[in-house]
Amino acid sequence: MTLPEDGMLLRIFIGEADKHHGRPLYEAIVLKARELGLAGATVLRGVMGFGAHSRLHTTKVLRLSEDLPIVVELVDTEENLQRLLPWLDEVVEEGMVTLEKARVLRYRHGAK
């Protein structure tokens, strides 16, 4: 698969405890992206954050949280990412979804 230089970055901000049909929501998002043939996805676990409710989530020992911030990032063409958006609208009950331009400098498979 090749990506044009003018790609798009889709970011999904959710909580670690968010679920979809009993599995972590971030896992369901990655699997759905793979099913749709998107270029790739990365899940990042935050050490601290807050969202719309302004409730602080942190890894600090005195405030141990089991609901740390999660960011799922996907880079692909806008057309491909648009196919995921209706499904995200159904499954992301709390969180934020952003879409922005991304300049793709390199996208390679390591096999020779």
Side-chain angles (χ1 to χ4, degrees):
M1 172 187 275
T2 60
L3 284 176
E5 185 174 314
D6 295 328
M8 296 295 284
L9 168 63
L10 177 65
R11 279 196 185 114
I12 305 141
F13 299 83
I14 55 176
E16 187 175 32
D18 294 347
K19 303 279 187 213
H20 177 66
H21 294 303
R23 80 168 13 138
L25 180 56
Y26 62 85
E27 184 179 314
I29 292 169
V30 169
L31 294 174
K32 183 66 172 181
R34 187 169 181 234
E35 174 188 315
L36 292 174
L38 300 182
T42 299
V43 177
L44 307 165
R45 185 176 189 226
V47 295
M48 187 175 202
F50 69 92
H53 294 289
S54 295
R55 189 174 48 238
L56 195 60
H57 302 270
T58 179
T59 59
K60 290 184 178 184
V61 176
L62 297 177
R63 294 188 52 130
L64 188 60
S65 175
E66 294 179 5
D67 190 20
L68 292 172
I70 296 288
V71 179
V72 183
E73 294 189 338
L74 303 101
V75 176
D76 207 316
T77 64
E78 183 172 9
E79 179 182 336
N80 286 344
L81 293 174
Q82 287 289 342
R83 294 184 300 148
L84 181 63
L85 294 180
W87 182 83
L88 287 175
D89 194 43
E90 292 176 19
V91 301
V92 177
E93 294 177 13
E94 285 192 32
M96 180 170 58
V97 178
T98 65
L99 187 62
E100 60 189 85
K101 292 179 182 180
R103 184 171 167 213
V104 178
L105 300 178
R106 187 170 295 124
Y107 179 65
R108 297 183 184 158
H109 184 278
K112 294 185 181 190

